[in-house]
Amino acid sequence: MAFGEQPAYLRVASDLRQKIENGALPPHTRLPSQARIRQEYGVSDTVALEARKVLMAEGLVEGRSGSGTYVRERQVPRRIARSGYRPPAGANPFRQEQAEGGARGTWESSSEQDVAAEDIAARLGIEPGDRVMRTHYVFRDAGEPMMLSTSWEPLAVTGRTPVMLPEEGPLAGCGVVERMAAIDVVVDNVLEEVGARPGLAEELMTLGGVPGHVVMVLTRTYYASGRAVETADVVVPADRYRLAYHLSVR
């Protein structure tokens, strides 16, 4: 096999990837052994090993202890709808946004007071070390973890108010817009930035991924008259979900 200028391990990985995609290597099939790859493609053990690592990093195959490497079941990505930041009164944004796709959304959360790290302080327009309420969420669809979120709210805004704890009190579970309105803070703008990176070990452990899997990270900040009142990092497994935006043209 002539490999040209492209590194040999990438050419081997590309050929194996094509076999996975066209069904020649269907899900749950054992990937050819390192020795067989070496023999079939005329490459070294190192090249064969690196090619397998590429496929694992792409999430196409998975290692099973004491058994070998197998082709993973490929899931059709599902949508996570992003339809704006003004849900009807009393509606939970997560539940509202997933209703269109028929998702059975539930979530669990925990809140605690913290001090703002430098990056969070910059996003909120406060000083590093200022007090914030940090809330961690795990969102589930029919019991399966689908999304993680960590939010930070300046206690200078919400401290000693009925909405200081996002998931407790009279507006527990409501969105940021409605909670802020209850303390006379009118949210009038929201910024969302979407990026991607390899998932952290603890994220993938919760979401059910394997090392090397890519996650989408949505960084969201709510503003009231130019003042940031909440910022959050939302983490979604890129191999299972897509972010779908419904944008008004009016």
Side-chain angles (χ1 to χ4, degrees):
M1 173 178 254
F3 289 105
E5 296 182 359
Q6 191 177 38
Y9 76 95
L10 290 181
R11 292 295 299 271
V12 173
S14 177
D15 191 68
L16 291 171
R17 185 190 305 112
Q18 184 176 1
K19 290 179 179 179
I20 292 172
E21 292 174 347
N22 66 22
L25 288 172
H28 311 298
T29 299
R30 185 173 180 177
L31 197 70
S33 66
Q34 189 167 310
R36 184 172 174 182
I37 292 175
R38 183 187 65 219
Q39 180 180 12
E40 182 176 346
Y41 294 93
V43 296
S44 66
D45 282 333
T46 299
V47 169
L49 178 61
E50 290 301 313
R52 289 157 67 95
K53 286 182 179 180
V54 168
L55 298 178
M56 292 188 74
E58 293 175 350
L60 296 175
V61 301
E62 60 184 355
R64 299 180 185 174
S65 180
S67 179
T69 304
Y70 291 80
V71 178
R72 297 183 69 229
E73 185 79 44
R74 301 193 71 186
Q75 298 180 328
V76 178
R78 296 185 56 182
R79 278 183 167 186
I80 294 180
R82 306 293 299 172
S83 56
Y85 63 97
R86 294 185 182 275
N92 177 275
F94 171 69
R95 192 180 298 278
Q96 181 202 28
E97 289 172 352
Q98 303 317 306
E100 181 181 305
R104 291 166 287 172
T106 60
W107 67 95
E108 54 202 54
S109 66
S110 62
S111 297
E112 61 181 344
Q113 293 191 33
D114 199 358
V115 294
E118 188 171 345
D119 59 331
I120 299 303
R123 285 159 56 174
L124 290 172
I126 60 178
E127 293 296 321
D130 283 358
R131 304 295 296 179
V132 294
M133 183 63 69
R134 185 184 71 219
T135 304
H136 294 291
Y137 294 89
V138 179
F139 295 94
R140 302 179 186 274
D141 175 12
E144 176 189 350
M146 61 174 292
M147 183 166 64
L148 306 177
S149 176
T150 303
S151 69
W152 296 266
E153 295 179 353
L155 286 175
V157 175
T158 62
R160 298 184 180 182
T161 73
V163 301
M164 185 174 74
L165 293 168
E167 297 296 324
E168 296 183 22
L171 294 179
C174 291
V176 173
V177 176
E178 187 172 0
R179 290 177 47 250
M180 293 297 166
I183 57 173
D184 298 322
V185 175
V186 179
V187 173
D188 54 19
N189 194 17
V190 60
L191 172 66
E192 290 192 353
E193 298 178 351
V194 181
R197 59 166 171 76
L200 304 178
E202 56 269 27
E203 293 170 341
L204 296 175
M205 182 178 297
T206 301
L207 292 169
V210 299
H213 272 195
V214 172
V215 296
M216 293 178 286
V217 181
L218 185 152
T219 300
R220 180 197 68 210
T221 305
Y222 286 99
Y223 295 90
S225 300
R227 181 184 187 182
V229 297
E230 190 254 22
T231 192
D233 288 334
V234 181
V235 178
V236 181
D239 62 329
R240 282 181 276 158
Y241 293 95
R242 296 290 183 268
L243 297 176
Y245 283 81
H246 299 269
L247 304 177
S248 173
V249 296
R250 291 181 294 175

